[in-house]
Coordinates of all heavy atoms in Angstrom, one line a residue:
I19 N -18.3 16.1 1.5 CA -18.9 15.7 0.2 C -18.6 16.9 -0.8 O -18.8 18.0 -0.5 CB -20.4 15.6 0.3 CG1 -20.7 14.4 1.3 CG2 -21.0 15.3 -1.0 CD1 -22.2 14.4 1.7
A20 N -18.0 16.5 -2.0 CA -17.8 17.5 -3.1 C -18.5 16.9 -4.3 O -18.0 16.0 -4.9 CB -16.3 17.7 -3.3
D21 N -19.6 17.6 -4.7 CA -20.3 17.1 -5.9 C -21.2 18.3 -6.4 O -21.8 19.0 -5.6 CB -21.2 15.9 -5.5 CG -21.7 15.2 -6.8 OD1 -22.4 15.8 -7.6 OD2 -21.5 14.0 -6.9
D22 N -21.2 18.5 -7.7 CA -21.9 19.7 -8.2 C -23.4 19.4 -8.3 O -24.2 20.4 -8.6 CB -21.4 20.1 -9.6 CG -21.6 19.1 -10.6 OD1 -21.2 17.9 -10.4 OD2 -22.1 19.4 -11.7
E23 N -23.9 18.2 -8.2 CA -25.3 17.9 -8.3 C -26.0 17.9 -6.9 O -25.7 17.1 -6.1 CB -25.5 16.5 -9.0 CG -24.9 16.5 -10.4 CD -25.0 15.1 -10.9 OE1 -25.7 14.2 -10.3 OE2 -24.5 14.8 -12.0
P24 N -27.0 18.8 -6.7 CA -27.7 18.9 -5.4 C -28.3 17.5 -5.0 O -28.2 17.1 -3.8 CB -28.7 20.0 -5.6 CG -28.2 20.8 -6.7 CD -27.4 19.9 -7.6
L25 N -28.9 16.9 -6.0 CA -29.6 15.6 -5.6 C -28.5 14.5 -5.2 O -28.8 13.7 -4.3 CB -30.4 15.1 -6.8 CG -31.7 15.8 -7.1 CD1 -32.4 15.3 -8.4 CD2 -32.6 15.7 -5.9
A26 N -27.4 14.6 -5.9 CA -26.3 13.6 -5.5 C -25.8 13.9 -4.1 O -25.6 12.9 -3.3 CB -25.1 13.7 -6.5
R27 N -25.6 15.2 -3.8 CA -25.2 15.5 -2.4 C -26.2 15.1 -1.4 O -25.8 14.5 -0.3 CB -24.9 17.0 -2.3 CG -23.7 17.5 -3.1 CD -23.2 18.9 -2.7 NE -24.2 19.9 -2.6 CZ -24.6 20.6 -3.7 NH1 -24.0 20.4 -4.9 NH2 -25.5 21.5 -3.6
A28 N -27.5 15.3 -1.7 CA -28.5 14.9 -0.7 C -28.6 13.4 -0.6 O -28.7 12.9 0.6 CB -29.9 15.4 -1.2
G29 N -28.4 12.7 -1.7 CA -28.4 11.2 -1.6 C -27.2 10.7 -0.7 O -27.4 9.8 0.1
L30 N -26.0 11.3 -0.9 CA -24.9 10.9 -0.1 C -25.1 11.2 1.3 O -24.7 10.4 2.2 CB -23.6 11.6 -0.7 CG -23.0 11.0 -1.9 CD1 -21.9 11.9 -2.5 CD2 -22.4 9.6 -1.6
R31 N -25.6 12.4 1.6 CA -25.9 12.8 3.0 C -26.8 11.7 3.7 O -26.5 11.3 4.8 CB -26.6 14.1 3.1 CG -25.6 15.3 3.0 CD -26.3 16.6 3.5 NE -27.6 16.8 3.0 CZ -27.8 17.5 1.9 NH1 -26.8 18.0 1.2 NH2 -29.1 17.7 1.4
D32 N -27.8 11.3 3.0 CA -28.8 10.3 3.5 C -28.1 9.0 3.8 O -28.3 8.4 4.8 CB -29.9 10.1 2.6 CG -30.9 11.3 2.5 OD1 -30.8 12.1 3.5 OD2 -31.7 11.4 1.6
M33 N -27.2 8.5 2.8 CA -26.6 7.3 3.0 C -25.5 7.3 4.1 O -25.3 6.4 4.8 CB -25.9 6.8 1.6 CG -27.0 6.3 0.6 SD -26.3 5.6 -0.9 CE -26.0 7.1 -1.8
L34 N -24.8 8.5 4.2 CA -23.8 8.6 5.2 C -24.4 8.7 6.6 O -23.8 8.3 7.6 CB -22.9 9.8 4.9 CG -22.0 9.8 3.7 CD1 -21.4 11.2 3.5 CD2 -21.0 8.7 3.8
E45 N -19.9 20.4 2.7 CA -20.1 20.1 1.3 C -19.6 21.2 0.4 O -19.4 22.4 0.9 CB -21.6 20.0 1.0 CG -22.3 18.9 1.8 CD -23.8 19.0 1.5 OE1 -24.3 19.7 0.6 OE2 -24.6 18.2 2.2
L65 N -15.6 12.4 -0.1 CA -16.3 11.8 -1.3 C -16.3 12.8 -2.4 O -16.9 13.9 -2.3 CB -17.7 11.4 -0.9 CG -17.9 10.4 0.2 CD1 -19.3 10.1 0.5 CD2 -17.2 9.1 -0.3
D67 N -16.4 14.1 -6.4 CA -16.9 13.9 -7.7 C -15.8 14.2 -8.7 O -15.0 15.1 -8.5 CB -18.1 14.8 -8.0 CG -18.8 14.5 -9.3 OD1 -18.5 13.5 -9.9 OD2 -19.5 15.4 -9.8
T91 N -16.3 9.6 -6.8 CA -17.6 9.3 -7.4 C -17.6 9.7 -8.9 O -17.1 10.8 -9.2 CB -18.7 9.9 -6.6 OG1 -18.6 11.3 -6.8 CG2 -18.7 9.5 -5.2
K112 N -21.6 6.1 -10.5 CA -23.0 6.5 -10.4 C -23.8 5.8 -11.5 O -23.3 5.6 -12.6 CB -23.0 8.0 -10.6 CG -22.3 8.9 -9.6 CD -22.4 10.3 -10.0 CE -21.7 11.2 -8.9 NZ -21.8 12.7 -9.3
F114 N -25.2 4.7 -7.7 CA -24.8 3.6 -6.8 C -25.8 3.6 -5.6 O -26.4 4.6 -5.3 CB -23.4 3.8 -6.3 CG -23.0 5.1 -5.7 CD1 -23.3 5.4 -4.4 CD2 -22.5 6.1 -6.5 CE1 -23.0 6.6 -3.9 CE2 -22.2 7.4 -6.0 CZ -22.5 7.6 -4.6

Side-chain angles (χ1 to χ4, degrees):
I19 299 170
D21 196 303
D22 66 306
E23 299 176 9
L25 287 177
R27 294 197 305 275
L30 281 170
R31 282 197 308 273
D32 288 344
M33 286 187 277
L34 292 174
E45 300 176 7
L65 296 177
D67 187 15
T91 62
K112 297 178 180 178
F114 53 85

